[in-house]
Amino acid sequence: MIYNVIIYLMQLGVAIASFFNEKVRKMWRGEREAFSILKEKVDPNAKYAWFHAASLGEFEQGRPIMEQLRQEHPEYKILLTFFSPSGYEVRKNYAGADIICYLPIDTITNARRFLRLVRPCMAFFIKYEFWYNYLHILKHRNVPTYSVSSIFRQGQIFFRPYGRQYGRVLKCFTKFFVQNEVSKQLLSTIGITNVEVTGDTRFDRVLQIKEAAKQLPIVEAFVKNKNVPDTNYPVFVAGSSWPPDEEIFIPYMAAHPEWKMIIAPHVIGEDHLKQIISLLETSYNKVNRQLKVVRYTKTTPEEAADAQVLIIDCFGLLSSIYHYGDIAYVGGGFGVGIHNVLEAGVWDMPVLFGPNNEKFQEAQGLKASGGGFDFSTPEEFHQLMDRLVADAGYCKACGSKAGAFVKDRSGATGKILSSVSL
């Protein structure tokens, strides 16, 4: 079958690329070590629920299910696998799973060996994971297998005439828990009816994150208005920003001295941080404003209190930092696609993002709710911001709509587990 030829070529390509790329090298090494990890850690007498996530985003979607399953059914152990280093390297010490490793590439030999070692009682594949050999062997072994928070579009290979053979992989799933009605209808056109529209578990996850938000003394000192007791400055939070984003919002915010700004860039490297600081200095000089910018890891609450800009130069804080904002900007919309808008919207504030958001259902939903806004040019961004900045009541109302959008779409985790054979 052509799929297996492609997989073997992919395996060869990964092996060659591992000599030149650190990220690929980690993946190649991790896949080869996976069987040693399983041999060492798998308890042959335990019942395993296997969760597979390609990367960090899919992990966050699967996490609420893992944690609720663990809480309500402690008789199951959790095996968590990743395809990408960006997921594994960040969550390899996640306490909610009993075993964590890479998923060996989907050859027939690897799939048979993996499943012979683990013998899972059930399997959950998050969102876009459709590994042909693993899924067919799971079906052959009568292992209940679920596709979670999946979403389908007309242009995908499964719905094209040339993709019908590969599309048979979808018949290996016991059930699909899809995000929307369109996905259910598309699957029905190729004869798949074991489908339930449950929504996206990310809504549950961001509500969990909100409840567990960290108190950050440096950020609290930064937003505090020392001149007006018991009040904070209005704060603009830019999360996961890239240079094209920064070139739009930094000049605008420099012209608004009544606001403070927090920037949490997607890439935290010295070159990018220097680029941000240079742009800040240029923008503030143009409007004749003094600038004090501090970096989170190199400042104190006392120093931060007098700054106009706080740069977050570490990972793991953004979801808690949104708590301190009044308007959020989520980056990536001028590149491959926007990042997580729900992490911002859950805090009841309007969310702005760039034009590449058509494939992101949550962004489309935020826009329709009146809590999210996209733009394509600096001029459009200025118009949106001018209204939000000038009218506090309007800004607050938009934020309330964003928060309500997130809350109203929670509950997918409970719906999924109530339909799973445990």
Side-chain angles (χ1 to χ4, degrees):
M1 179 184 175
I2 191 169
Y3 173 85
N4 287 320
V5 174
I6 293 171
I7 286 293
Y8 281 111
L9 290 174
M10 177 181 171
Q11 188 176 36
L12 177 61
V14 169
I16 294 171
S18 68
F19 289 101
F20 308 101
N21 184 286
E22 176 63 23
K23 182 176 179 180
V24 177
R25 185 156 52 249
K26 287 180 179 178
M27 182 173 72
W28 174 244
R29 187 185 304 121
E31 287 179 0
R32 299 181 73 182
E33 292 172 351
F35 289 116
S36 297
I37 292 172
L38 294 172
K39 284 181 179 179
E40 177 187 347
K41 295 187 175 182
V42 167
D43 179 354
N45 298 313
K47 297 190 295 184
Y48 284 95
W50 171 28
F51 287 80
H52 177 64
S55 191
L56 191 58
E58 290 79 10
F59 164 79
E60 292 295 331
Q61 285 180 293
R63 182 170 177 170
I65 304 172
M66 281 185 274
E67 294 182 353
Q68 188 167 325
L69 176 64
R70 195 178 187 91
Q71 180 180 359
E72 296 179 357
H73 296 275
E75 67 271 23
Y76 292 102
K77 289 194 173 185
I78 304 294
L79 165 66
L80 172 62
T81 59
F82 288 98
F83 179 77
S84 167
S86 60
Y88 177 80
E89 296 300 328
V90 176
R91 294 301 182 191
K92 60 186 175 183
N93 296 316
Y94 169 59
D98 298 282
I99 304 173
I100 303 173
C101 65
Y102 281 91
L103 181 67
I105 200 163
D106 187 29
T107 65
I108 295 174
T109 301
N110 281 346
R112 285 174 176 165
R113 186 181 177 192
F114 179 93
L115 292 169
R116 195 178 297 125
L117 279 167
V118 178
R119 299 186 181 276
C121 296
M122 64 191 80
F124 297 83
F125 286 72
I126 313 301
K127 199 172 183 178
Y128 290 134
E129 293 300 278
F130 306 108
W131 295 109
Y132 194 92
N133 292 314
Y134 281 104
L135 287 166
H136 275 83
I137 297 172
L138 284 166
K139 183 180 180 182
H140 179 73
R141 290 171 172 252
N142 295 315
V143 177
T145 304
Y146 306 98
S147 179
V148 174
S149 288
S150 46
I151 188 167
F152 294 90
R153 300 181 181 87
Q154 184 68 56
Q156 287 172 304
I157 188 172
F158 312 112
F159 312 108
R160 305 262 185 170
Y162 59 79
R164 291 299 168 88
Q165 184 178 14
Y166 176 65
R168 293 174 188 167
V169 72
L170 300 181
K171 296 186 181 295
C172 295
F173 286 98
T174 306
K175 194 164 188 176
F176 289 85
F177 298 105
V178 298
Q179 294 189 30
N180 57 27
E181 191 66 35
V182 171
S183 297
K184 182 177 181 179
Q185 293 171 359
L186 279 171
L187 288 170
S188 71
T189 65
I190 55 174
I192 294 175
T193 57
N194 51 332
V195 183
E196 184 177 346
V197 180
T198 54
D200 190 345
T201 52
R202 280 182 299 175
F203 290 92
D204 298 330
R205 178 61 188 145
V206 294
L207 286 168
Q208 286 181 342
I209 292 171
K210 181 180 180 181
E211 292 174 3
K214 304 169 186 175
Q215 295 297 309
L216 304 172
I218 288 174
V219 183
E220 290 176 0
F222 173 76
V223 304
K224 189 74 172 176
N225 189 335
K226 296 187 295 183
N227 300 318
V228 184
D230 301 320
T231 63
N232 292 339
Y233 283 99
V235 177
F236 179 88
V237 180
S240 301
S241 65
W242 294 82
D245 303 302
E246 293 145 9
E247 290 167 4
I248 291 176
F249 67 74
I250 286 178
Y252 180 90
M253 296 309 301
H256 289 79
E258 73 277 18
W259 282 71
K260 288 197 171 189
M261 178 166 49
I262 301 174
I263 305 174
H266 183 73
V267 176
I268 300 175
E270 286 302 316
D271 289 344
H272 188 198
L273 295 176
K274 289 177 182 177
Q275 183 180 356
I276 292 172
I277 293 171
S278 176
L279 180 56
L280 284 165
E281 291 171 345
T282 300
S283 300
Y284 274 68
N285 285 336
K286 280 185 178 180
V287 294
N288 296 315
R289 283 186 64 192
Q290 290 187 335
L291 170 67
K292 180 179 179 181
V293 55
V294 293
R295 289 170 53 166
Y296 186 87
T297 64
K298 297 183 178 181
T299 192
T300 64
E302 292 73 26
E303 290 178 340
D306 294 324
Q308 293 83 43
V309 181
L310 172 62
I311 297 178
I312 309 302
D313 56 351
C314 56
F315 293 108
L317 299 181
L318 180 57
S319 58
S320 296
I321 285 169
Y322 281 128
H323 168 53
Y324 299 95
D326 295 276
I327 298 175
Y329 182 114
V330 176
F334 290 91
V336 296
I338 55 171
H339 297 287
N340 193 337
V341 297
L342 300 181
E343 281 189 340
V346 73
W347 289 106
D348 299 311
M349 63 176 149
V351 185
L352 281 64
F353 39 85
N356 190 358
N357 62 74
E358 296 86 356
K359 294 182 179 180
F360 297 82
Q361 181 176 264
E362 64 279 11
Q364 298 300 310
L366 265 179
K367 286 166 55 179
S369 76
F373 304 88
D374 66 350
F375 59 91
S376 299
T377 66
E379 291 74 23
E380 290 177 1
F381 174 78
H382 289 187
Q383 291 173 3
L384 288 169
M385 285 296 295
D386 282 347
R387 185 174 182 190
L388 291 168
V389 167
D391 190 340
Y394 173 70
C395 184
K396 186 174 181 180
C398 293
S400 295
K401 291 175 182 177
F405 168 76
V406 177
K407 295 180 186 72
D408 291 346
R409 283 155 183 79
S410 63
T413 300
K415 293 175 185 176
I416 291 168
L417 287 178
S418 67
S419 296
V420 166
S421 300
L422 297 170

